[in-house]
């Protein structure tokens, strides 16, 4: 199920956007994973747990905080 089913129907997936609370099943097969995290406390707590899981599995993580102002 998950990514495998999508790839079987549509072909290879290059980018996965996770809007859910859990680590997506089969995310390891996708070259790039993007997570959207809101300012909600529960959403942020779930995101921290996913971040820890990805990190423990050895994935390179890059954080983009869109709430912070960009230097001109």
């Amino acid at each position: 199920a998950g990514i495998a089913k999508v790839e079987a129907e549509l072909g290879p997936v290059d980018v996965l956007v996770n809007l859910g609370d859990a680590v997506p099943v089969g995310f390891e097969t996708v070259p790039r994973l993007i997570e959207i995290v809101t300012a909600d406390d529960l959403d942020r707590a779930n995101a921290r747990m996913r971040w820890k899981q990805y990190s423990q599995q050895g994935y390179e993580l890059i954080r983009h905080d869109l709430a912070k102002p960009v230097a001109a």
Side-chain angles (χ1 to χ4, degrees):
I3 303 301
K5 182 179 179 182
V6 171
E7 288 184 325
E9 293 177 10
L10 302 175
V13 174
D14 295 322
V15 178
L16 172 64
V17 178
N18 183 24
L19 301 175
D21 292 333
V23 172
V25 174
F27 83 93
E28 305 89 351
T29 65
V30 179
R32 186 171 185 191
L33 172 67
I34 297 172
E35 296 223 355
I36 308 298
V37 181
T38 68
D40 177 76
D41 289 338
L42 181 58
D43 191 26
R44 294 172 65 85
N46 288 333
R48 286 186 194 100
M49 293 179 77
R50 292 190 307 272
W51 180 283
K52 184 176 180 181
Q53 185 174 347
Y54 298 136
S55 182
Q56 288 174 341
Q57 292 180 359
Y59 289 94
E60 178 184 351
L61 307 174
I62 301 170
R63 180 176 179 248
H64 301 280
D65 188 344
L66 301 180
K68 291 185 178 183
V70 177

